[in-house]
Amino acid sequence: MEKNKMRQLMIEKLNKLAVDESRQEQIESIYRRFFQSDLWLSATSIAVTIATDFEFPTAPLIQQALFEGKKVAVPKSLPKRQLVFYWINESTTYKLSKFGVEEPVSQDKAQPEELDLVIVPGLIFKENGYRIGFGGGFYDRFLADYSGKTASFVFIEQLMENWEEALFDLPVQQLFIGETEEQ
């Protein structure tokens, strides 16, 4: 199946999951394991997007990071499919990008080497860490020159093994996959 069709079908699936009871179970199981992980405990700075309604919610992570005194950076998408992260705090304001994603109104740029951990969004994941994102290649370009740690939060519905990764695709180092009581 073509990646654009796979993306479209996954967005539909995630929109349905957004109103399903199992979603909250998965969110809680992921955050429980993430907040106990060495990745979280050792990171002093974290880069993460502001999630849209159907994506894994990142607000709890941002709140917890700021509460614990960790630095948080949120990306802006720039021309030529560049992704640049900016430091945020509790008083940061945001504006909606052309992609429908909230981006910080900030000039306080975070350099890639200042970021201990990048939480990488995606639509479809393989258990080996490869992912299909939203199709812009922003994260693949950023990660090509990034040497820190990476992780993704994945609903079990997002796991799909029957697709081929491209040469430029880079795997996420650690996936935190949702669990439900039914498993």
Side-chain angles (χ1 to χ4, degrees), residues 108-161:
D108 191 7
K109 190 185 292 190
Q111 298 304 317
E113 61 273 9
E114 294 179 288
L115 301 171
D116 296 331
L117 173 62
V118 174
I119 304 299
V120 182
L123 287 170
I124 299 166
F125 293 84
K126 287 185 174 184
E127 291 204 34
N128 64 6
Y130 282 96
R131 58 181 264 288
I132 295 176
F134 291 86
F138 288 89
Y139 271 87
D140 288 316
R141 284 177 181 78
F142 176 83
L143 294 174
D145 296 321
Y146 174 69
S147 59
K149 295 188 165 89
T150 58
S152 291
F153 302 144
V154 183
F155 293 115
I156 52 177
E157 291 82 356
Q158 291 177 275
L159 290 174
M160 190 183 294
E161 299 292 328

Side-chain angles (χ1 to χ4, degrees), residues 32-77:
R32 189 170 40 254
R33 281 180 283 123
F34 176 69
F35 288 138
Q36 294 171 357
S37 73
D38 287 339
L39 276 179
W40 171 258
L41 296 172
S42 65
T44 59
S45 58
I46 296 171
V48 62
T49 60
I50 305 291
T52 60
D53 290 344
F54 67 83
E55 292 178 284
F56 187 91
T58 54
L61 173 125
I62 293 168
Q63 291 166 348
Q64 187 65 29
L66 293 173
F67 175 77
E68 291 187 25
K70 297 177 188 281
K71 292 180 78 175
V72 178
V74 171
K76 288 184 191 182
S77 52

Side-chain angles (χ1 to χ4, degrees), residues 50 62 66 72 74 88-96 101-105:
I50 305 291
I62 293 168
L66 293 173
V72 178
V74 171
I88 64 161
N89 58 43
E90 292 88 351
S91 61
T92 300
T93 57
Y94 300 88
K95 68 174 188 161
L96 217 51
V101 177
E102 288 190 9
E103 297 182 340
V105 177

